[in-house]
Amino acid sequence: DGGITQSPKYLFRKEGQNVTLSCEQNLNHDAMYWYRQDPGQGLRLIYYSQIVNDFQKGDIAEGYSVSREKKESFPLTVTSAQKNPTAFYLCASSPIDRAEETQYFGPGTRLLVL
Amino acid sequence: AQSVAQPEDQVNVAEGNPLTVKCTYSVSGNPYLFWYVQYPNRGLQFLLKYITGDNLVKGSYGFEAEFNKSQTSFHLKKPSALVSDSALYFCAVRGNGPGSQGNLIFGKGTKLSVKP
């Protein structure tokens, strides 16, 4: 899992609650990504950031928000508007956002709804 | 539309036998192809990628993959499987055509089971 850390490992959300997942990297990468993994569906892109103070919606951004105030940090907030948040969330980074660049993944956070 | 297909949900192989995990793709522009492996409750680990050049790409842990442009395939192979290779394998593709920013497209994954 290299130089990407995600916390917590498990997170429990109550109905109507916003929760924030942490992602930190010490690889000096410009680009960072958030994916959602559901059983049998592969990974789907939620948000990505090509550079500090900039981010773009991915395929399933509704109910999520992000910020990129520091190069090494890209936190994801799962808002109460996300009606089906139970999933495994993976953060990734790459040197720059180009098609040929490898994305490296963190260990993941599993979000469960109480 | 960009897409990746992994036609087999599960592949079963005996230890010591060769293994193949299949992947086909559709992208705009030139394809950049990746294989990742995931162990239970862990993140994805990068195995190998095809960017350009030799169609046979060698990667980590003895894995290799062959890019076939005419068949739009990028199958993962290993000459002799190990029990420790048992995991979930993901193929991913990204084109360099319009609309590809940030967009690494993943297949649904293939569970590889290697029996002693």
Side-chain angles (χ1 to χ4, degrees):
Chain A
D1 299 324
I4 303 174
T5 58
Q6 291 185 243
S7 62
K9 188 172 182 178
Y10 295 95
L11 186 57
F12 298 92
R13 192 190 93 162
K14 296 179 182 178
E15 196 167 335
Q17 186 182 37
N18 292 353
V19 292
T20 297
L21 286 61
S22 170
C23 177
E24 304 276 332
Q25 54 99 359
N26 62 3
L27 302 170
N28 199 34
H29 286 172
D30 279 329
M32 297 186 75
Y33 310 83
W34 273 106
Y35 291 91
R36 171 179 171 142
Q37 184 179 14
D38 295 281
Q41 291 194 42
L43 279 70
R44 293 179 290 169
L45 182 66
I46 305 172
Y47 268 97
Y48 67 100
S49 170
Q50 295 175 313
I51 201 164
V52 175
N53 293 321
D54 183 62
F55 50 83
Q56 308 293 333
K57 292 182 179 180
D59 298 322
I60 56 165
E62 186 174 351
Y64 300 97
S65 65
V66 293
S67 63
R68 186 86 187 276
E69 297 176 1
K70 297 186 296 183
K71 185 174 185 176
E72 59 270 24
S73 179
F74 191 39
L76 173 74
T77 297
V78 184
T79 74
S80 58
Q82 173 50 244
K83 297 306 179 188
N84 184 24
T86 297
F88 193 47
Y89 290 86
L90 290 159
C91 177
S93 72
S94 67
I96 54 174
D97 182 44
R98 263 198 212 157
E100 63 267 35
E101 291 289 347
T102 301
Q103 293 184 18
Y104 297 94
F105 285 80
T109 292
R110 188 165 298 279
L111 177 59
L112 300 165
V113 177
L114 294 176
Chain B
Q2 302 184 114
S3 65
V4 176
Q6 293 183 241
E8 300 153 318
D9 291 336
Q10 181 154 345
V11 170
N12 299 313
V13 177
E15 187 175 31
N17 283 1
L19 69 86
T20 298
V21 183
K22 295 179 181 178
C23 172
T24 59
Y25 66 89
S26 173
V27 294
S28 62
N30 293 322
Y32 299 97
L33 294 146
F34 302 81
W35 275 103
Y36 288 88
V37 60
Q38 184 180 38
Y39 296 96
N41 293 310
R42 302 291 299 275
L44 274 65
Q45 294 179 30
F46 169 71
L47 283 178
L48 53 80
K49 68 180 178 182
Y50 172 81
I51 302 301
T52 187
D54 194 345
N55 290 343
L56 185 64
V57 179
K58 294 188 182 296
S60 305
Y61 313 119
F63 284 94
E64 58 189 29
E66 186 166 13
F67 171 63
N68 187 317
K69 187 174 182 178
S70 63
Q71 297 186 4
T72 61
S73 68
F74 189 56
H75 301 331
L76 182 70
K77 300 180 180 184
K78 187 174 183 182
S80 179
L82 299 173
V83 172
S84 58
D85 292 330
S86 299
L88 187 59
Y89 289 80
F90 288 98
C91 180
V93 66
R94 187 167 169 184
N96 64 356
S100 65
Q101 287 84 358
N103 217 7
L104 186 59
I105 305 297
F106 285 84
K108 294 185 178 182
T110 298
K111 183 178 180 181
L112 174 67
S113 178
V114 182
K115 300 295 185 186

